[in-house]
Amino acid sequence: MKKIIECVPNFSEGRNQDVINAIARAIKETSGCQLLDIDSGVSTNRTVYTFVGEPDSVLKGALAAARTARKHIDMRKHKGEHPRFGAMDVCPFIPVANTDMEECADIARKFGKKAAEELQIPVFLYEEAAEYDYRRKLPDIRYGEYEGLAQKLKDPKWKPDFGPAEFIPEWGATAAGARMFLIAFNINILGTSNQAHRIALNLREAGRGEDQPGRLKEVKAIGWFVDEYNMAQVTANLSNYRVTSIHHLFEEVKKEAAALNVGVAGSELVGIVPLEAILMAADFYIKKDNLFILDEDQKIRLAIDRLGLNSIATFEPNEKIIDYIVSEPPDEPLAQMSLRDFILEVGSRSSAPGGGSVSAVLAAMGTGLGAMVAKLTWGVRKYEALDAKMRKIIQPLHEITRALIPMIDEDTRAFNEYMEGLQMPGNTDKEKKDRLEKMQKGLKTAISVPFKTMKLGDSAWDAMCDAARYGNPASKSDIQVGARALETGIWGAYQNILINMKDIKDQDYKAGILEQAESLAKRAGEKCTEILELLKN
């Protein structure tokens, strides 16, 4: 899988559309960079760009954006509400997929060195890229802002990590770093900038100073008035949304606003947000209001509603949630076929898809029928007394069914790995050794997939039994078919393990898997019989 790194440079220009567009073009025209979002503020006179790509591409994109800013932004003319000390004020790199913070810190250092040498600008490193602890926090580096930078650069303590230790009036300075995903979250206050700032001071980690810290960790916040919205805002950066979540901050702002007798009118997320943060908010409100929601789409709708994310502009999940933006379609050609095409493919003159894929289909069909029966019972007036019980049944069956679907294609891919080994040359001793190792690895993969199918199917039996015991009697035949299908799916997966196990050379591996698989197959037969007995009358 590709490495994906996010870069979120902030530029001190939010009013001149030509300049904003020029920087966007520089990023877009960099090969391998995908520009995800542009967020400009007139009052802040600041634009935040969010783009992603592989490490080298992101580095090139950031440099291209910096070059463009060097040509078009003159800090001597800049005025705005947001703290800043440079034309390209900050340039953080964030790990998104198949990478880590260390690699992002390395890219930040490369960017700082190259930008300083080419553009002759001072660059400071911050957060995880910082060389010194006292430079880790961005507010410390930016303290004094642009207006105080000339004096600050005279202090040897604040010599830039890269570039000249002198004041460049038209540019200022840039901070480059590596950090966790930062969420820029603004909460709308129907009051004054002073009231919004009082709320921010009470909540942000720094509070009003060392002797009066705020209540929420990993939160930086101020209050301001946004003329174009005709509203004040508590504007916050959540440095670690797993420490202080967006919904926690929102609820705390509501409490503070109520104490001041001012209204809260929703919120806005600036730039991109991780799916996890939105689902955390949804789960909070689901628990708070005793709701029962399983589908991800509905959870997102709930979070949008409860947080008021549509109050300024429409919150489009596919454009605002980074997981959706960078996701690739699942590699599931069999699972995505029409039912007719899948059956015809199974019946074709080919050994794959075969019994393993069909076993996964049957197991998924079985748990799916169990989920259906429970869902047809939940929410029906005559079965309201079973509401809590049905919720406990539905969730695992709903999740297991979805987890079994990828096994349909995984089984075929696992078989293909073995076939690749079988087709390798075997003339020399080395070729024979390599061929055997590849085939043994392929066999173990071919065993691991049906074994996972068995374990997933087995985890559904307790919920299946309860669906049979308490489910809507009108769906009796559905749960019977479901039990048989699940049992057959597990049995079929077991047979695939047995046939592939014959050629395994590792006897310890062989004994361990066979013992577990036999136990799961036996339990499947027992549980299916139990369900059928429950439904006899």
Side-chain angles (χ1 to χ4, degrees), residues 247 250-251 254 266-267 281-282 284-286 288-289 291 293 300-309:
H247 60 269
F250 186 72
E251 292 299 315
K254 283 169 62 179
S267 63
F284 169 79
Y285 290 111
I286 287 169
K288 180 174 179 284
D289 299 334
L291 305 175
I293 301 173
I300 291 168
R301 287 172 184 267
L302 177 70
I304 292 170
D305 176 72
R306 293 292 194 271
L307 296 169
L309 291 174

mmCIF file with all atom_site columns, all heavy atoms in Angstrom, residues 247 250-251 254 266-267 281-282 284-286 288-289 291 293 300-309:
data_model
loop_
_atom_site.group_PDB
_atom_site.id
_atom_site.type_symbol
_atom_site.label_atom_id
_atom_site.label_alt_id
_atom_site.label_comp_id
_atom_site.label_asym_id
_atom_site.label_entity_id
_atom_site.label_seq_id
_atom_site.pdbx_PDB_ins_code
_atom_site.Cartn_x
_atom_site.Cartn_y
_atom_site.Cartn_z
_atom_site.occupancy
_atom_site.B_iso_or_equiv
_atom_site.pdbx_formal_charge
_atom_site.auth_seq_id
_atom_site.auth_comp_id
_atom_site.auth_asym_id
_atom_site.auth_atom_id
_atom_site.pdbx_PDB_model_num
ATOM 1   N N   . HIS A 1 247 ? -16.301 16.643 20.238 1.00 0.00 ? 247 HIS A N   1
ATOM 2   C CA  . HIS A 1 247 ? -17.599 16.717 20.931 1.00 0.00 ? 247 HIS A CA  1
ATOM 3   C C   . HIS A 1 247 ? -17.420 17.164 22.387 1.00 0.00 ? 247 HIS A C   1
ATOM 4   O O   . HIS A 1 247 ? -18.287 17.854 22.933 1.00 0.00 ? 247 HIS A O   1
ATOM 5   C CB  . HIS A 1 247 ? -18.341 15.378 20.862 1.00 0.00 ? 247 HIS A CB  1
ATOM 6   C CG  . HIS A 1 247 ? -17.615 14.223 21.473 1.00 0.00 ? 247 HIS A CG  1
ATOM 7   N ND1 . HIS A 1 247 ? -16.761 13.413 20.759 1.00 0.00 ? 247 HIS A ND1 1
ATOM 8   C CD2 . HIS A 1 247 ? -17.615 13.736 22.745 1.00 0.00 ? 247 HIS A CD2 1
ATOM 9   C CE1 . HIS A 1 247 ? -16.264 12.487 21.553 1.00 0.00 ? 247 HIS A CE1 1
ATOM 10  N NE2 . HIS A 1 247 ? -16.763 12.653 22.769 1.00 0.00 ? 247 HIS A NE2 1
ATOM 11  N N   . PHE A 1 250 ? -16.987 20.897 22.240 1.00 0.00 ? 250 PHE A N   1
ATOM 12  C CA  . PHE A 1 250 ? -18.273 21.513 21.901 1.00 0.00 ? 250 PHE A CA  1
ATOM 13  C C   . PHE A 1 250 ? -19.205 21.563 23.110 1.00 0.00 ? 250 PHE A C   1
ATOM 14  O O   . PHE A 1 250 ? -19.830 22.595 23.399 1.00 0.00 ? 250 PHE A O   1
ATOM 15  C CB  . PHE A 1 250 ? -18.928 20.726 20.760 1.00 0.00 ? 250 PHE A CB  1
ATOM 16  C CG  . PHE A 1 250 ? -20.189 21.343 20.224 1.00 0.00 ? 250 PHE A CG  1
ATOM 17  C CD1 . PHE A 1 250 ? -20.144 22.503 19.467 1.00 0.00 ? 250 PHE A CD1 1
ATOM 18  C CD2 . PHE A 1 250 ? -21.420 20.760 20.475 1.00 0.00 ? 250 PHE A CD2 1
ATOM 19  C CE1 . PHE A 1 250 ? -21.318 23.074 18.967 1.00 0.00 ? 250 PHE A CE1 1
ATOM 20  C CE2 . PHE A 1 250 ? -22.593 21.321 19.988 1.00 0.00 ? 250 PHE A CE2 1
ATOM 21  C CZ  . PHE A 1 250 ? -22.532 22.483 19.228 1.00 0.00 ? 250 PHE A CZ  1
ATOM 22  N N   . GLU A 1 251 ? -19.286 20.462 23.840 1.00 0.00 ? 251 GLU A N   1
ATOM 23  C CA  . GLU A 1 251 ? -20.171 20.416 25.005 1.00 0.00 ? 251 GLU A CA  1
ATOM 24  C C   . GLU A 1 251 ? -19.683 21.349 26.115 1.00 0.00 ? 251 GLU A C   1
ATOM 25  O O   . GLU A 1 251 ? -20.486 21.975 26.809 1.00 0.00 ? 251 GLU A O   1
ATOM 26  C CB  . GLU A 1 251 ? -20.267 18.975 25.528 1.00 0.00 ? 251 GLU A CB  1
ATOM 27  C CG  . GLU A 1 251 ? -20.996 18.014 24.594 1.00 0.00 ? 251 GLU A CG  1
ATOM 28  C CD  . GLU A 1 251 ? -22.440 18.412 24.347 1.00 0.00 ? 251 GLU A CD  1
ATOM 29  O OE1 . GLU A 1 251 ? -23.132 18.753 25.330 1.00 0.00 ? 251 GLU A OE1 1
ATOM 30  O OE2 . GLU A 1 251 ? -22.873 18.387 23.177 1.00 0.00 ? 251 GLU A OE2 1
ATOM 31  N N   . LYS A 1 254 ? -20.618 24.860 25.207 1.00 0.00 ? 254 LYS A N   1
ATOM 32  C CA  . LYS A 1 254 ? -22.049 25.070 25.471 1.00 0.00 ? 254 LYS A CA  1
ATOM 33  C C   . LYS A 1 254 ? -22.297 25.385 26.944 1.00 0.00 ? 254 LYS A C   1
ATOM 34  O O   . LYS A 1 254 ? -23.092 26.274 27.282 1.00 0.00 ? 254 LYS A O   1
ATOM 35  C CB  . LYS A 1 254 ? -22.847 23.830 25.051 1.00 0.00 ? 254 LYS A CB  1
ATOM 36  C CG  . LYS A 1 254 ? -23.054 23.719 23.544 1.00 0.00 ? 254 LYS A CG  1
ATOM 37  C CD  . LYS A 1 254 ? -23.606 22.372 23.128 1.00 0.00 ? 254 LYS A CD  1
ATOM 38  C CE  . LYS A 1 254 ? -24.964 22.077 23.707 1.00 0.00 ? 254 LYS A CE  1
ATOM 39  N NZ  . LYS A 1 254 ? -25.490 20.764 23.250 1.00 0.00 ? 254 LYS A NZ  1
ATOM 40  N N   . GLY A 1 266 ? -24.051 26.212 16.470 1.00 0.00 ? 266 GLY A N   1
ATOM 41  C CA  . GLY A 1 266 ? -23.326 25.245 15.664 1.00 0.00 ? 266 GLY A CA  1
ATOM 42  C C   . GLY A 1 266 ? -21.835 25.489 15.627 1.00 0.00 ? 266 GLY A C   1
ATOM 43  O O   . GLY A 1 266 ? -21.278 26.213 16.460 1.00 0.00 ? 266 GLY A O   1
ATOM 44  N N   . SER A 1 267 ? -21.183 24.876 14.649 1.00 0.00 ? 267 SER A N   1
ATOM 45  C CA  . SER A 1 267 ? -19.721 24.915 14.577 1.00 0.00 ? 267 SER A CA  1
ATOM 46  C C   . SER A 1 267 ? -19.272 24.704 13.147 1.00 0.00 ? 267 SER A C   1
ATOM 47  O O   . SER A 1 267 ? -20.083 24.441 12.250 1.00 0.00 ? 267 SER A O   1
ATOM 48  C CB  . SER A 1 267 ? -19.135 23.828 15.478 1.00 0.00 ? 267 SER A CB  1
ATOM 49  O OG  . SER A 1 267 ? -19.522 22.542 15.010 1.00 0.00 ? 267 SER A OG  1
ATOM 50  N N   . ALA A 1 281 ? -17.582 11.304 18.069 1.00 0.00 ? 281 ALA A N   1
ATOM 51  C CA  . ALA A 1 281 ? -18.679 12.216 18.417 1.00 0.00 ? 281 ALA A CA  1
ATOM 52  C C   . ALA A 1 281 ? -20.022 11.503 18.288 1.00 0.00 ? 281 ALA A C   1
ATOM 53  O O   . ALA A 1 281 ? -20.893 11.625 19.161 1.00 0.00 ? 281 ALA A O   1
ATOM 54  C CB  . ALA A 1 281 ? -18.643 13.446 17.514 1.00 0.00 ? 281 ALA A CB  1
ATOM 55  N N   . ALA A 1 282 ? -20.179 10.751 17.212 1.00 0.00 ? 282 ALA A N   1
ATOM 56  C CA  . ALA A 1 282 ? -21.441 10.016 17.008 1.00 0.00 ? 282 ALA A CA  1
ATOM 57  C C   . ALA A 1 282 ? -21.679 9.035  18.146 1.00 0.00 ? 282 ALA A C   1
ATOM 58  O O   . ALA A 1 282 ? -22.788 8.968  18.700 1.00 0.00 ? 282 ALA A O   1
ATOM 59  C CB  . ALA A 1 282 ? -21.397 9.281  15.672 1.00 0.00 ? 282 ALA A CB  1
ATOM 60  N N   . PHE A 1 284 ? -20.583 9.168  21.155 1.00 0.00 ? 284 PHE A N   1
ATOM 61  C CA  . PHE A 1 284 ? -20.903 9.930  22.370 1.00 0.00 ? 284 PHE A CA  1
ATOM 62  C C   . PHE A 1 284 ? -22.393 10.278 22.415 1.00 0.00 ? 284 PHE A C   1
ATOM 63  O O   . PHE A 1 284 ? -23.066 10.075 23.435 1.00 0.00 ? 284 PHE A O   1
ATOM 64  C CB  . PHE A 1 284 ? -20.067 11.205 22.421 1.00 0.00 ? 284 PHE A CB  1
ATOM 65  C CG  . PHE A 1 284 ? -20.497 12.175 23.492 1.00 0.00 ? 284 PHE A CG  1
ATOM 66  C CD1 . PHE A 1 284 ? -20.134 11.976 24.811 1.00 0.00 ? 284 PHE A CD1 1
ATOM 67  C CD2 . PHE A 1 284 ? -21.282 13.276 23.174 1.00 0.00 ? 284 PHE A CD2 1
ATOM 68  C CE1 . PHE A 1 284 ? -20.536 12.869 25.813 1.00 0.00 ? 284 PHE A CE1 1
ATOM 69  C CE2 . PHE A 1 284 ? -21.690 14.173 24.160 1.00 0.00 ? 284 PHE A CE2 1
ATOM 70  C CZ  . PHE A 1 284 ? -21.317 13.967 25.474 1.00 0.00 ? 284 PHE A CZ  1
ATOM 71  N N   . TYR A 1 285 ? -22.925 10.786 21.313 1.00 0.00 ? 285 TYR A N   1
ATOM 72  C CA  . TYR A 1 285 ? -24.331 11.193 21.296 1.00 0.00 ? 285 TYR A CA  1
ATOM 73  C C   . TYR A 1 285 ? -25.282 9.996  21.248 1.00 0.00 ? 285 TYR A C   1
ATOM 74  O O   . TYR A 1 285 ? -26.390 10.055 21.763 1.00 0.00 ? 285 TYR A O   1
ATOM 75  C CB  . TYR A 1 285 ? -24.584 12.158 20.131 1.00 0.00 ? 285 TYR A CB  1
ATOM 76  C CG  . TYR A 1 285 ? -23.920 13.499 20.358 1.00 0.00 ? 285 TYR A CG  1
ATOM 77  C CD1 . TYR A 1 285 ? -22.835 13.907 19.589 1.00 0.00 ? 285 TYR A CD1 1
ATOM 78  C CD2 . TYR A 1 285 ? -24.342 14.331 21.388 1.00 0.00 ? 285 TYR A CD2 1
ATOM 79  C CE1 . TYR A 1 285 ? -22.194 15.117 19.821 1.00 0.00 ? 285 TYR A CE1 1
ATOM 80  C CE2 . TYR A 1 285 ? -23.711 15.547 21.629 1.00 0.00 ? 285 TYR A CE2 1
ATOM 81  C CZ  . TYR A 1 285 ? -22.641 15.939 20.852 1.00 0.00 ? 285 TYR A CZ  1
ATOM 82  O OH  . TYR A 1 285 ? -22.017 17.136 21.100 1.00 0.00 ? 285 TYR A OH  1
ATOM 83  N N   . ILE A 1 286 ? -24.819 8.903  20.656 1.00 0.00 ? 286 ILE A N   1
ATOM 84  C CA  . ILE A 1 286 ? -25.617 7.674  20.676 1.00 0.00 ? 286 ILE A CA  1
ATOM 85  C C   . ILE A 1 286 ? -25.796 7.204  22.114 1.00 0.00 ? 286 ILE A C   1
ATOM 86  O O   . ILE A 1 286 ? -26.903 6.873  22.546 1.00 0.00 ? 286 ILE A O   1
ATOM 87  C CB  . ILE A 1 286 ? -24.949 6.581  19.812 1.00 0.00 ? 286 ILE A CB  1
ATOM 88  C CG1 . ILE A 1 286 ? -25.114 6.905  18.324 1.00 0.00 ? 286 ILE A CG1 1
ATOM 89  C CG2 . ILE A 1 286 ? -25.551 5.201  20.121 1.00 0.00 ? 286 ILE A CG2 1
ATOM 90  C CD1 . ILE A 1 286 ? -24.277 6.033  17.410 1.00 0.00 ? 286 ILE A CD1 1
ATOM 91  N N   . LYS A 1 288 ? -25.295 9.049  24.885 1.00 0.00 ? 288 LYS A N   1
ATOM 92  C CA  . LYS A 1 288 ? -25.947 10.106 25.662 1.00 0.00 ? 288 LYS A CA  1
ATOM 93  C C   . LYS A 1 288 ? -27.470 10.058 25.509 1.00 0.00 ? 288 LYS A C   1
ATOM 94  O O   . LYS A 1 288 ? -28.212 10.233 26.468 1.00 0.00 ? 288 LYS A O   1
ATOM 95  C CB  . LYS A 1 288 ? -25.424 11.463 25.202 1.00 0.00 ? 288 LYS A CB  1
ATOM 96  C CG  . LYS A 1 288 ? -26.002 12.685 25.915 1.00 0.00 ? 288 LYS A CG  1
ATOM 97  C CD  . LYS A 1 288 ? -25.279 13.948 25.460 1.00 0.00 ? 288 LYS A CD  1
ATOM 98  C CE  . LYS A 1 288 ? -25.838 15.191 26.132 1.00 0.00 ? 288 LYS A CE  1
ATOM 99  N NZ  . LYS A 1 288 ? -27.131 15.597 25.553 1.00 0.00 ? 288 LYS A NZ  1
ATOM 100 N N   . ASP A 1 289 ? -27.927 9.805  24.273 1.00 0.00 ? 289 ASP A N   1
ATOM 101 C CA  . ASP A 1 289 ? -29.364 9.835  23.992 1.00 0.00 ? 289 ASP A CA  1
ATOM 102 C C   . ASP A 1 289 ? -29.985 8.446  23.891 1.00 0.00 ? 289 ASP A C   1
ATOM 103 O O   . ASP A 1 289 ? -31.141 8.311  23.477 1.00 0.00 ? 289 ASP A O   1
ATOM 104 C CB  . ASP A 1 289 ? -29.620 10.605 22.691 1.00 0.00 ? 289 ASP A CB  1
ATOM 105 C CG  . ASP A 1 289 ? -29.159 12.051 22.782 1.00 0.00 ? 289 ASP A CG  1
ATOM 106 O OD1 . ASP A 1 289 ? -29.122 12.579 23.908 1.00 0.00 ? 289 ASP A OD1 1
ATOM 107 O OD2 . ASP A 1 289 ? -28.832 12.651 21.744 1.00 0.00 ? 289 ASP A OD2 1
ATOM 108 N N   . LEU A 1 291 ? -29.477 6.012  21.810 1.00 0.00 ? 291 LEU A N   1
ATOM 109 C CA  . LEU A 1 291 ? -29.875 5.708  20.437 1.00 0.00 ? 291 LEU A CA  1
ATOM 110 C C   . LEU A 1 291 ? -29.285 4.366  20.020 1.00 0.00 ? 291 LEU A C   1
ATOM 111 O O   . LEU A 1 291 ? -28.419 3.817  20.695 1.00 0.00 ? 291 LEU A O   1
ATOM 112 C CB  . LEU A 1 291 ? -29.380 6.810  19.500 1.00 0.00 ? 291 LEU A CB  1
ATOM 113 C CG  . LEU A 1 291 ? -29.803 8.244  19.847 1.00 0.00 ? 291 LEU A CG  1
ATOM 114 C CD1 . LEU A 1 291 ? -29.134 9.238  18.908 1.00 0.00 ? 291 LEU A CD1 1
ATOM 115 C CD2 . LEU A 1 291 ? -31.318 8.389  19.808 1.00 0.00 ? 291 LEU A CD2 1
ATOM 116 N N   . ILE A 1 293 ? -27.715 3.079  16.534 1.00 0.00 ? 293 ILE A N   1
ATOM 117 C CA  . ILE A 1 293 ? -27.340 3.359  15.152 1.00 0.00 ? 293 ILE A CA  1
ATOM 118 C C   . ILE A 1 293 ? -26.095 2.542  14.833 1.00 0.00 ? 293 ILE A C   1
ATOM 119 O O   . ILE A 1 293 ? -25.104 2.601  15.561 1.00 0.00 ? 293 ILE A O   1
ATOM 120 C CB  . ILE A 1 293 ? -27.056 4.858  14.944 1.00 0.00 ? 293 ILE A CB  1
ATOM 121 C CG1 . ILE A 1 293 ? -28.287 5.699  15.300 1.00 0.00 ? 293 ILE A CG1 1
ATOM 122 C CG2 . ILE A 1 293 ? -26.626 5.141  13.508 1.00 0.00 ? 293 ILE A CG2 1
ATOM 123 C CD1 . ILE A 1 293 ? -28.043 7.189  15.287 1.00 0.00 ? 293 ILE A CD1 1
ATOM 124 N N   . ILE A 1 300 ? -22.494 9.434  10.953 1.00 0.00 ? 300 ILE A N   1
ATOM 125 C CA  . ILE A 1 300 ? -21.949 10.707 10.498 1.00 0.00 ? 300 ILE A CA  1
ATOM 126 C C   . ILE A 1 300 ? -23.031 11.775 10.453 1.00 0.00 ? 300 ILE A C   1
ATOM 127 O O   . ILE A 1 300 ? -22.818 12.919 10.871 1.00 0.00 ? 300 ILE A O   1
ATOM 128 C CB  . ILE A 1 300 ? -21.266 10.537 9.124  1.00 0.00 ? 300 ILE A CB  1
ATOM 129 C CG1 . ILE A 1 300 ? -19.995 9.693  9.288  1.00 0.00 ? 300 ILE A CG1 1
ATOM 130 C CG2 . ILE A 1 300 ? -20.928 11.881 8.495  1.00 0.00 ? 300 ILE A CG2 1
ATOM 131 C CD1 . ILE A 1 300 ? -19.392 9.231  7.996  1.00 0.00 ? 300 ILE A CD1 1
ATOM 132 N N   . ARG A 1 301 ? -24.211 11.401 9.983  1.00 0.00 ? 301 ARG A N   1
ATOM 133 C CA  . ARG A 1 301 ? -25.328 12.351 9.949  1.00 0.00 ? 301 ARG A CA  1
ATOM 134 C C   . ARG A 1 301 ? -25.669 12.840 11.358 1.00 0.00 ? 301 ARG A C   1
ATOM 135 O O   . ARG A 1 301 ? -25.958 14.016 11.575 1.00 0.00 ? 301 ARG A O   1
ATOM 136 C CB  . ARG A 1 301 ? -26.561 11.693 9.321  1.00 0.00 ? 301 ARG A CB  1
ATOM 137 C CG  . ARG A 1 301 ? -26.459 11.496 7.824  1.00 0.00 ? 301 ARG A CG  1
ATOM 138 C CD  . ARG A 1 301 ? -27.649 10.664 7.321  1.00 0.00 ? 301 ARG A CD  1
ATOM 139 N NE  . ARG A 1 301 ? -27.524 10.373 5.907  1.00 0.00 ? 301 ARG A NE  1
ATOM 140 C CZ  . ARG A 1 301 ? -28.052 11.107 4.934  1.00 0.00 ? 301 ARG A CZ  1
ATOM 141 N NH1 . ARG A 1 301 ? -28.746 12.200 5.253  1.00 0.00 ? 301 ARG A NH1 1
ATOM 142 N NH2 . ARG A 1 301 ? -27.919 10.781 3.669  1.00 0.00 ? 301 ARG A NH2 1
ATOM 143 N N   . LEU A 1 302 ? -25.627 11.929 12.316 1.00 0.00 ? 302 LEU A N   1
ATOM 144 C CA  . LEU A 1 302 ? -25.930 12.296 13.705 1.00 0.00 ? 302 LEU A CA  1
ATOM 145 C C   . LEU A 1 302 ? -24.898 13.288 14.226 1.00 0.00 ? 302 LEU A C   1
ATOM 146 O O   . LEU A 1 302 ? -25.250 14.304 14.851 1.00 0.00 ? 302 LEU A O   1
ATOM 147 C CB  . LEU A 1 302 ? -25.956 11.049 14.587 1.00 0.00 ? 302 LEU A CB  1
ATOM 148 C CG  . LEU A 1 302 ? -26.197 11.311 16.082 1.00 0.00 ? 302 LEU A CG  1
ATOM 149 C CD1 . LEU A 1 302 ? -27.628 11.761 16.320 1.00 0.00 ? 302 LEU A CD1 1
ATOM 150 C CD2 . LEU A 1 302 ? -25.888 10.068 16.909 1.00 0.00 ? 302 LEU A CD2 1
ATOM 151 N N   . ALA A 1 303 ? -23.611 13.004 13.987 1.00 0.00 ? 303 ALA A N   1
ATOM 152 C CA  . ALA A 1 303 ? -22.554 13.900 14.461 1.00 0.00 ? 303 ALA A CA  1
ATOM 153 C C   . ALA A 1 303 ? -22.683 15.285 13.832 1.00 0.00 ? 303 ALA A C   1
ATOM 154 O O   . ALA A 1 303 ? -22.529 16.313 14.509 1.00 0.00 ? 303 ALA A O   1
ATOM 155 C CB  . ALA A 1 303 ? -21.183 13.303 14.152 1.00 0.00 ? 303 ALA A CB  1
ATOM 156 N N   . ILE A 1 304 ? -22.970 15.327 12.538 1.00 0.00 ? 304 ILE A N   1
ATOM 157 C CA  . ILE A 1 304 ? -23.147 16.611 11.845 1.00 0.00 ? 304 ILE A CA  1
ATOM 158 C C   . ILE A 1 304 ? -24.281 17.406 12.485 1.00 0.00 ? 304 ILE A C   1
ATOM 159 O O   . ILE A 1 304 ? -24.160 18.609 12.735 1.00 0.00 ? 304 ILE A O   1
ATOM 160 C CB  . ILE A 1 304 ? -23.425 16.387 10.342 1.00 0.00 ? 304 ILE A CB  1
ATOM 161 C CG1 . ILE A 1 304 ? -22.183 15.833 9.648  1.00 0.00 ? 304 ILE A CG1 1
ATOM 162 C CG2 . ILE A 1 304 ? -23.882 17.684 9.671  1.00 0.00 ? 304 ILE A CG2 1
ATOM 163 C CD1 . ILE A 1 304 ? -22.424 15.355 8.225  1.00 0.00 ? 304 ILE A CD1 1
ATOM 164 N N   . ASP A 1 305 ? -25.377 16.705 12.783 1.00 0.00 ? 305 ASP A N   1
ATOM 165 C CA  . ASP A 1 305 ? -26.530 17.379 13.379 1.00 0.00 ? 305 ASP A CA  1
ATOM 166 C C   . ASP A 1 305 ? -26.233 17.872 14.792 1.00 0.00 ? 305 ASP A C   1
ATOM 167 O O   . ASP A 1 305 ? -26.478 19.033 15.125 1.00 0.00 ? 305 ASP A O   1
ATOM 168 C CB  . ASP A 1 305 ? -27.723 16.420 13.412 1.00 0.00 ? 305 ASP A CB  1
ATOM 169 C CG  . ASP A 1 305 ? -28.937 17.031 14.110 1.00 0.00 ? 305 ASP A CG  1
ATOM 170 O OD1 . ASP A 1 305 ? -29.563 17.937 13.532 1.00 0.00 ? 305 ASP A OD1 1
ATOM 171 O OD2 . ASP A 1 305 ? -29.233 16.615 15.245 1.00 0.00 ? 305 ASP A OD2 1
ATOM 172 N N   . ARG A 1 306 ? -25.682 17.012 15.629 1.00 0.00 ? 306 ARG A N   1
ATOM 173 C CA  . ARG A 1 306 ? -25.464 17.375 17.034 1.00 0.00 ? 306 ARG A CA  1
ATOM 174 C C   . ARG A 1 306 ? -24.403 18.470 17.190 1.00 0.00 ? 306 ARG A C   1
ATOM 175 O O   . ARG A 1 306 ? -24.491 19.295 18.093 1.00 0.00 ? 306 ARG A O   1
ATOM 176 C CB  . ARG A 1 306 ? -25.053 16.145 17.847 1.00 0.00 ? 306 ARG A CB  1
ATOM 177 C CG  . ARG A 1 306 ? -26.142 15.090 17.975 1.00 0.00 ? 306 ARG A CG  1
ATOM 178 C CD  . ARG A 1 306 ? -27.293 15.614 18.844 1.00 0.00 ? 306 ARG A CD  1
ATOM 179 N NE  . ARG A 1 306 ? -28.176 14.534 19.252 1.00 0.00 ? 306 ARG A NE  1
ATOM 180 C CZ  . ARG A 1 306 ? -29.242 14.114 18.563 1.00 0.00 ? 306 ARG A CZ  1
ATOM 181 N NH1 . ARG A 1 306 ? -29.560 14.713 17.419 1.00 0.00 ? 306 ARG A NH1 1
ATOM 182 N NH2 . ARG A 1 306 ? -29.979 13.119 19.012 1.00 0.00 ? 306 ARG A NH2 1
ATOM 183 N N   . LEU A 1 307 ? -23.400 18.471 16.312 1.00 0.00 ? 307 LEU A N   1
ATOM 184 C CA  . LEU A 1 307 ? -22.343 19.481 16.401 1.00 0.00 ? 307 LEU A CA  1
ATOM 185 C C   . LEU A 1 307 ? -22.676 20.744 15.609 1.00 0.00 ? 307 LEU A C   1
ATOM 186 O O   . LEU A 1 307 ? -21.947 21.734 15.678 1.00 0.00 ? 307 LEU A O   1
ATOM 187 C CB  . LEU A 1 307 ? -21.020 18.904 15.891 1.00 0.00 ? 307 LEU A CB  1
ATOM 188 C CG  . LEU A 1 307 ? -20.433 17.739 16.690 1.00 0.00 ? 307 LEU A CG  1
ATOM 189 C CD1 . LEU A 1 307 ? -19.272 17.103 15.927 1.00 0.00 ? 307 LEU A CD1 1
ATOM 190 C CD2 . LEU A 1 307 ? -19.978 18.191 18.069 1.00 0.00 ? 307 LEU A CD2 1
ATOM 191 N N   . GLY A 1 308 ? -23.759 20.679 14.835 1.00 0.00 ? 308 GLY A N   1
ATOM 192 C CA  . GLY A 1 308 ? -24.140 21.838 14.030 1.00 0.00 ? 308 GLY A CA  1
ATOM 193 C C   . GLY A 1 308 ? -23.125 22.168 12.956 1.00 0.00 ? 308 GLY A C   1
ATOM 194 O O   . GLY A 1 308 ? -22.840 23.333 12.677 1.00 0.00 ? 308 GLY A O   1
ATOM 195 N N   . LEU A 1 309 ? -22.580 21.142 12.314 1.00 0.00 ? 309 LEU A N   1
ATOM 196 C CA  . LEU A 1 309 ? -21.506 21.349 11.352 1.00 0.00 ? 309 LEU A CA  1
ATOM 197 C C   . LEU A 1 309 ? -21.967 21.961 10.038 1.00 0.00 ? 309 LEU A C   1
ATOM 198 O O   . LEU A 1 309 ? -21.144 22.328 9.194  1.00 0.00 ? 309 LEU A O   1
ATOM 199 C CB  . LEU A 1 309 ? -20.783 20.026 11.085 1.00 0.00 ? 309 LEU A CB  1
ATOM 200 C CG  . LEU A 1 309 ? -19.957 19.485 12.249 1.00 0.00 ? 309 LEU A CG  1
ATOM 201 C CD1 . LEU A 1 309 ? -19.400 18.115 11.929 1.00 0.00 ? 309 LEU A CD1 1
ATOM 202 C CD2 . LEU A 1 309 ? -18.831 20.447 12.604 1.00 0.00 ? 309 LEU A CD2 1
#
